[in-house]
Amino acid sequence: MESSSADLSPSKPSWFTPERLLVIFCAINLINYVDRGAIASNGVNGSRGSCSKSGTCTSGRGIQGDFNLNDFEDGVLSSAFMVGLLVACPIFASLAKRKMDGAEKKGPLK
């Protein structure tokens, strides 16, 4: 059997080139880094509002001040974020792998 020259030509490259994937992963890592830093800095930079006996009140700062959270509640908020991230990462990784595996089986777009 003869094969046509079209069968021997290289297929059109996928959109997911190594360079583009590297840029995407770096951007995701940067967002993750900033997000974790924002959550971790709540207890350090935030404070609850307080009132003195004379009736002078000061407003709080950060998330603790905005939502009137004590240190324990702020710690639970940070921990809940990290547990949510821990649970969501494998789920989204498997979805991304399934999507990429499906794209490989279908072949290049024409």
Side-chain angles (χ1 to χ4, degrees), residues 4-15 103-110:
S4 67
S5 62
D7 292 340
L8 299 176
S9 66
S11 62
K12 185 176 178 182
S14 172
W15 186 88
E104 288 175 5
K105 290 177 184 173
K106 289 180 185 175
L109 297 174
K110 293 183 179 181

Side-chain angles (χ1 to χ4, degrees), residues 9 21 39 77 83 95 101 106:
S9 66
L21 283 175
I39 292 294
L77 178 67
V83 168
L95 290 174
D101 287 345
K106 289 180 185 175

